[in-house]
Amino acid sequence: MKYIFLIIIFSVVPLFATEKLQISTVDLDHHFKINKELRKEFIRILNRYPYLEDRKTITVDIMKDKLFSTNDLNIENGIEVASNLNTKVAILFNAEKILLSNNMPTNNNIVMSNRNDNIITTNNMSSSTNTDYSALLSSINSSLIIKTNNFSSNKDIKEKKEEVSDNQTSTNESATNIISNLIESSLESSTTNNISIYDYNYNFSIINVDTKEVLKEYTNVASNNVINEFQNISRFLDYYYAAETLDSIESYDNDIRLDFIIERISLENKTNALYSDGSILQGESFNLKFRSNKSGYLYILALQNNGNIIIMFPNDFNNYLYNNNVEKDEFIEEYTTYVIPPDNAIFKIVVSSFFEDTTDKFYAIYTKDKIDFGVAKFCNGDGFRLCDKSVVSDFATKLLLRLKLVAPSDYQVSKISLKALKATVENQKRLEISNNSKILFINL
């Protein structure tokens, strides 16, 4: 989901790399083995991302009958294969051959002459399957002349005109052979001139191997767009790696009590609190509220579905409004409630209408001591800082590695997933807020 931040401009930055997301590719129809150059290009694009590693590609085409007793493999078959590859994510791939329209040369149409000497002219022989060759053959009598104006093939037709004597009996069989030879010549000409008769559409399904969940699908990808889709797939996998890395941060049972909620504000200005997972309609707004029972340092990260991370806290607005125009860092006071946007702010956070059925993840990370997670180095912007999608994997990895050096008793984490739904009547009824709910911090 996208947010509309009034009076805010974002910018960007880079970093370095470590662990990798192990990926396998399951080729359902042997196409990658046939088209090795396409396979190489896919691997080349994946390798541009430091946290993505294609461990293996397996093609199951030859063994289809033995493995599944069918030649038509589906996603379930692909998942069955992928589950044995010891990788986190699998990309199921297949290619569909499609017949191109107007694939034969346009200068080869078979035309029947109405002259009494029955001339077949091959000025423009067509590959159209609608040609009625039976009617054509039945109309040819014993007096048959073939004229080949502008007809070309691998084998030059030596004679441009062949006359059959009036006394010779021409059979349907001989006429069929003549027409067949003409068609074969036309096909040979097409091959010689590198005219493709078929093209391919590609389908990709990205699967979480452990849960068997389909993470994302790319269907009916045209061959002239497949390289661009490879890049989209790689970007999505990089985002997925960052999300998995942040989700892996554990919350320990210690004496730190961190309350973190999202306050949804409906179009009717009614509110309700979301403590872990929840939904919001496009066009609605929300606030973030948090407090801790201990003074310390807090970061709130919003991982957007487009791959960017927004640093929700600390931010310039809360710093200046809460601290008498004195800029402060991520330090928070014990038992103090903080709100984003702060009271009397000149902006609000609105769910954009550009996306539907998308989920953003919010991570509130408290530490007793100040820790450098690389926010200042890798995230830029006025108001709210932005970590561009090109560095979120680096940022998430560094954050996780730094927290591993912190004692479990000295930090706490709270996570909320927020799904944006299209503002339909059905969704409005489903998420209808009957009364304004009171925001309560239940831990303190």
Side-chain angles (χ1 to χ4, degrees):
M1 108 188 44
K2 271 195 170 183
Y3 315 131
I4 301 172
F5 291 99
L6 307 181
I7 63 162
I8 297 172
I9 301 176
F10 300 113
S11 58
V12 190
V13 151
L15 188 76
F16 63 92
T18 320
E19 295 185 12
K20 297 189 177 185
L21 179 66
Q22 305 298 323
I23 304 165
S24 59
T25 305
V26 179
D27 182 2
L28 297 179
D29 60 3
H30 212 54
H31 188 83
F32 264 167
K33 190 166 185 177
I34 296 172
N35 195 339
K36 293 182 179 179
E37 291 304 315
L38 188 65
R39 164 70 180 158
K40 289 179 181 178
E41 182 64 17
F42 187 37
I43 297 303
R44 187 180 69 82
I45 292 174
L46 274 178
N47 287 340
R48 291 177 184 172
Y49 293 79
Y51 294 98
L52 305 183
E53 181 180 8
D54 187 85
R55 293 292 303 276
K56 59 189 73 175
T57 295
I58 183 169
T59 178
V60 294
D61 182 76
I62 296 177
M63 300 296 292
K64 283 179 182 177
D65 287 330
K66 293 183 179 179
L67 288 172
F68 303 105
S69 301
T70 178
N71 281 323
D72 299 319
L73 297 189
N74 53 31
I75 288 182
E76 287 71 24
N77 301 138
I79 292 175
E80 183 177 342
V81 173
S83 63
N84 297 303
L85 299 181
N86 297 320
T87 57
K88 180 70 175 179
V89 172
I91 302 172
L92 309 185
F93 162 83
N94 76 295
E96 298 176 359
K97 184 181 285 189
I98 57 174
L99 179 65
L100 295 178
S101 59
N102 301 322
N103 48 64
M104 296 292 286
T106 58
N107 61 342
N108 292 320
N109 289 329
I110 296 181
V111 180
M112 185 68 195
S113 171
N114 290 324
R115 292 172 48 189
N116 291 331
D117 54 359
N118 293 324
I119 298 177
I120 299 178
T121 308
T122 60
N123 293 338
N124 292 305
M125 183 173 180
S126 171
S127 65
S128 171
T129 57
N130 294 327
T131 305
D132 191 351
Y133 292 118
S134 298
L136 178 64
L137 294 174
S138 63
S139 64
I140 300 176
N141 60 20
S142 59
S143 158
L144 179 66
I145 302 174
I146 298 181
K147 182 178 175 183
T148 58
N149 295 334
N150 300 323
F151 182 83
S152 61
S153 67
N154 286 346
K155 298 179 180 180
D156 294 335
I157 300 179
K158 297 179 180 179
E159 297 183 3
K160 292 199 173 187
K161 187 175 183 181
E162 179 182 352
E163 295 184 359
V164 181
S165 66
D166 294 338
N167 296 329
Q168 180 180 359
T169 303
S170 176
T171 64
N172 284 346
E173 181 180 358
S174 63
T176 302
N177 290 336
I178 293 171
I179 299 300
S180 297
N181 289 336
L182 290 176
I183 296 172
E184 282 183 16
S185 297
S186 179
L187 289 171
E188 290 175 3
S189 176
S190 298
T191 304
T192 304
N193 294 325
N194 296 321
I195 298 174
S196 298
I197 297 177
Y198 293 97
D199 198 359
Y200 289 93
N201 277 352
Y202 300 95
N203 301 297
F204 303 89
S205 296
I206 302 177
I207 310 293
N208 181 315
V209 177
D210 294 332
T211 65
K212 309 299 187 292
E213 177 189 1
V214 179
L215 303 174
K216 200 169 183 65
E217 292 184 297
Y218 303 80
T219 59
N220 295 321
V221 179
S223 60
N224 61 359
N225 192 46
V226 69
I227 302 302
N228 181 59
E229 214 65 298
F230 283 168
Q231 294 169 344
N232 291 334
I233 291 171
S234 299
R235 279 192 287 266
F236 171 78
L237 290 171
D238 196 53
Y239 155 81
Y240 182 73
Y241 168 84
E244 289 287 292
T245 300
L246 293 174
D247 285 343
S248 69
I249 299 175
E250 297 184 53
S251 178
Y252 292 97
D253 184 13
N254 52 35
D255 62 350
I256 301 170
R257 295 294 175 261
L258 174 62
D259 282 308
F260 173 49
I261 65 170
I262 291 179
E263 180 185 45
R264 174 192 162 211
I265 306 172
S266 72
L267 298 175
E268 295 80 21
N269 207 34
K270 296 179 180 180
T271 63
N272 73 319
L274 307 175
Y275 292 93
S276 57
D277 300 314
S279 299
I280 190 170
L281 297 177
Q282 293 172 349
E284 295 182 338
S285 59
F286 64 89
N287 298 331
L288 304 179
K289 292 190 175 184
F290 55 93
R291 71 173 179 175
S292 171
N293 66 335
K294 294 181 181 295
S295 297
Y297 298 85
L298 186 81
Y299 277 108
I300 298 180
L301 318 176
L303 176 60
Q304 298 183 295
N305 68 89
N306 63 4
N308 296 328
I309 286 181
I310 295 177
I311 308 301
M312 304 299 294
F313 188 86
N315 64 71
D316 294 341
F317 301 103
N318 286 75
N319 278 335
Y320 288 116
L321 291 178
Y322 281 165
N323 301 305
N324 297 319
N325 283 343
V326 176
E327 183 175 2
K328 295 186 70 175
D329 54 19
E330 58 275 20
F331 182 79
I332 60 172
E333 301 281 353
E334 62 182 4
Y335 297 104
T336 301
T337 300
Y338 295 83
V339 183
I340 306 172
D343 297 333
N344 301 320
I346 58 175
F347 74 97
K348 61 181 179 178
I349 307 173
V350 180
V351 179
S352 171
S353 60
F354 292 111
F355 297 93
E356 60 183 76
D357 294 331
T358 57
T359 301
D360 286 4
K361 297 185 176 183
F362 295 80
Y363 305 87
I365 303 171
Y366 166 93
T367 56
K368 287 184 178 180
D369 300 316
K370 186 174 182 177
I371 297 177
D372 180 15
F373 292 129
V375 172
K377 184 176 181 180
F378 306 113
C379 306
N380 283 346
D382 295 324
F384 292 90
R385 282 172 285 181
L386 173 77
C387 291
D388 184 74
K389 65 182 100 178
S390 62
V391 299
V392 292
S393 294
D394 295 317
F395 175 69
T397 299
K398 181 172 182 179
L399 190 153
L400 178 63
L401 293 177
R402 293 291 290 121
L403 278 179
K404 287 183 177 180
L405 300 177
V406 179
S409 60
D410 291 341
Y411 78 90
Q412 193 56 267
V413 179
S414 182
K415 310 169 189 176
I416 300 177
S417 293
L418 186 63
K419 184 173 184 177
L421 301 178
K422 192 172 182 179
T424 62
V425 174
E426 180 181 354
N427 286 336
Q428 287 176 337
K429 289 182 178 179
R430 184 156 64 91
L431 299 182
E432 185 176 1
I433 303 172
S434 57
N435 294 298
N436 286 346
S437 57
K438 188 175 181 181
I439 304 302
L440 299 175
F441 289 116
I442 58 176
N443 288 337
L444 301 184

